[in-house]
Amino acid sequence: MLALVPSSASAYPGPGRVTGDVVVHDPTMFRAPDGRYLLHSTHGYLEVRTSTDRVAFSRDGNAFASPPGWWSRYSAENDPWAPDLSHHGGRYLMYYSVSSFRSNVSAIGLATSTTGLPGSWKDQGIVYSSTAASDYNAIDPDLFVDDDGKWWLAFGSHWSGIKMIRLDPGTGKQYAGDTTRHSLASRSAAPRAVEGPTVVKRNGYYYLFASYDTCCSGTASTYKIKVGRATKPTGPYYDRNGVAMNNDGGTVVMASHGSVIGPGGQDIMPDADGDVLVYHYYDGRDNGAPKLGLNLLSWSGGWPTAY
């Protein structure tokens, strides 16, 4: 395993070295049982890349060969976003978003595969949705499976912030015995920009990572990754200073520095050498092209630090 070495001296580390096809947005990465790294991302019926060493990445096609029929109700472009990749019960699961920019007429879909390879994914339909009348936005899903076997789905963007619902492990969809929609993080001031949750459990705490501020604007992006922690998956989550994430809280893990602009859209992937922070950033040395960022995380003192 090649080490992730910071490439610049600043308050935040530079991304570790990656090569090949690394122009990505909203990456999710998973290490398959055979050792391959599977990287899925926004656009192109959900782009698929693979790597054998977590350094060199090649584009291998799209998860879907053609769009499921229901996508067009939420996206005229049939352009899915922000997948979340995992492996449970002998199969791959991929939650993903279908929507249009600045709209909360949105849906979270689920697809399953036995191999995780392009073209192998079978669509399982809509998991959760929102309408123009909703105070939340059903995009940016993240599956969290707790030690007690309960499944949870965090999601959300702008509006009233990050939400969480309980899922049925048998179907991968909402658990009929508990339909509560929990609020995990929100912002009080417009445009209430918090999105892209990722939940992990480490050292007895649940950690919520989320992306804050402006995405998708190239070198004008102000995205940053913040974190809080809780004693149960549904919160409440507090930052390092004790401020609730439902009350504008959040401790910064990664923000713009040097040519690394607007890091966000993050995922956390456990690997042999530790937890890997997977994210995109806009490359100030390449006209703001979105690039893959990888850094290891340390958990010294009970809080994550990228290095």
Side-chain angles (χ1 to χ4, degrees), residues 15-27 29 39 41 47-51 53-59 278-283 286 288-294:
R17 178 174 172 265
V18 293
T19 64
D21 193 327
V22 294
V23 176
V24 303
H25 213 272
D26 304 321
M29 192 160 68
L39 179 74
S41 60
E47 297 177 351
V48 178
R49 292 168 177 81
T50 59
S51 174
D53 60 5
R54 212 175 67 195
V55 174
F57 289 84
S58 61
R59 175 75 189 277
V278 183
Y279 58 97
H280 72 250
Y281 66 95
Y282 301 95
D283 190 347
D286 191 14
K291 299 287 183 70
L292 173 65
L294 301 179

Side-chain angles (χ1 to χ4, degrees), residues 26-172:
D26 304 321
T28 179
M29 192 160 68
F30 178 79
R31 191 171 190 184
D34 64 5
R36 290 174 304 144
Y37 293 92
L38 305 179
L39 179 74
H40 289 200
S41 60
T42 286
H43 300 318
Y45 302 161
L46 299 172
E47 297 177 351
V48 178
R49 292 168 177 81
T50 59
S51 174
T52 58
D53 60 5
R54 212 175 67 195
V55 174
F57 289 84
S58 61
R59 175 75 189 277
D60 293 342
N62 301 320
F64 292 98
S66 59
W70 64 265
W71 284 9
S72 62
R73 303 205 307 267
Y74 299 93
S75 170
E77 301 81 14
N78 276 323
D79 186 25
W81 301 340
D84 175 66
L85 187 63
S86 61
H87 188 269
H88 299 280
R91 65 177 182 169
Y92 293 89
L93 303 176
M94 181 172 59
Y95 291 89
Y96 61 93
S97 321
V98 185
S99 188
S100 298
F101 209 53
R102 296 190 177 92
S103 169
N104 70 331
V105 180
S106 310
I108 293 168
L110 170 64
T112 57
S113 168
T114 57
T115 66
L117 296 175
S120 69
W121 290 91
K122 181 179 179 181
D123 184 60
Q124 303 294 339
I126 296 172
V127 174
Y128 209 69
S129 63
S130 54
T131 71
S134 302
D135 72 345
Y136 62 94
N137 193 6
I139 67 169
D140 293 0
D142 177 74
L143 174 65
F144 171 71
V145 177
D146 206 353
D147 299 336
D148 60 5
K150 291 180 181 177
W151 286 31
W152 301 92
L153 189 73
F155 63 90
S157 171
H158 291 64
W159 276 266
S160 61
I162 305 301
K163 308 298 180 184
M164 177 176 272
I165 59 171
R166 187 174 168 187
L167 298 181
D168 184 335
T171 65

Side-chain angles (χ1 to χ4, degrees), residues 107-254:
I108 293 168
L110 170 64
T112 57
S113 168
T114 57
T115 66
L117 296 175
S120 69
W121 290 91
K122 181 179 179 181
D123 184 60
Q124 303 294 339
I126 296 172
V127 174
Y128 209 69
S129 63
S130 54
T131 71
S134 302
D135 72 345
Y136 62 94
N137 193 6
I139 67 169
D140 293 0
D142 177 74
L143 174 65
F144 171 71
V145 177
D146 206 353
D147 299 336
D148 60 5
K150 291 180 181 177
W151 286 31
W152 301 92
L153 189 73
F155 63 90
S157 171
H158 291 64
W159 276 266
S160 61
I162 305 301
K163 308 298 180 184
M164 177 176 272
I165 59 171
R166 187 174 168 187
L167 298 181
D168 184 335
T171 65
K173 298 186 178 183
Q174 187 167 29
Y175 179 61
D178 180 0
T179 59
T180 303
R181 186 172 61 248
H182 303 271
S183 182
L184 306 188
S186 62
R187 301 184 74 175
S188 58
R192 310 189 76 178
V194 53
E195 57 192 0
T198 304
V199 176
V200 298
K201 187 178 184 181
R202 298 291 183 269
N203 305 314
Y205 285 100
Y206 300 87
Y207 292 84
L208 169 64
F209 295 76
S211 299
Y212 284 66
D213 296 328
T214 303
C215 171
C216 315
S217 299
T219 56
S221 300
T222 58
Y223 238 18
K224 57 183 66 70
I225 301 168
K226 293 186 178 183
V227 71
R229 71 183 188 184
T231 56
K232 58 182 181 179
T234 55
Y237 286 84
Y238 297 94
D239 67 17
R240 197 163 191 163
N241 293 324
V243 181
M245 293 187 78
N246 260 330
N247 189 29
D248 297 315
T251 297
V252 177
V253 176
M254 180 78 72

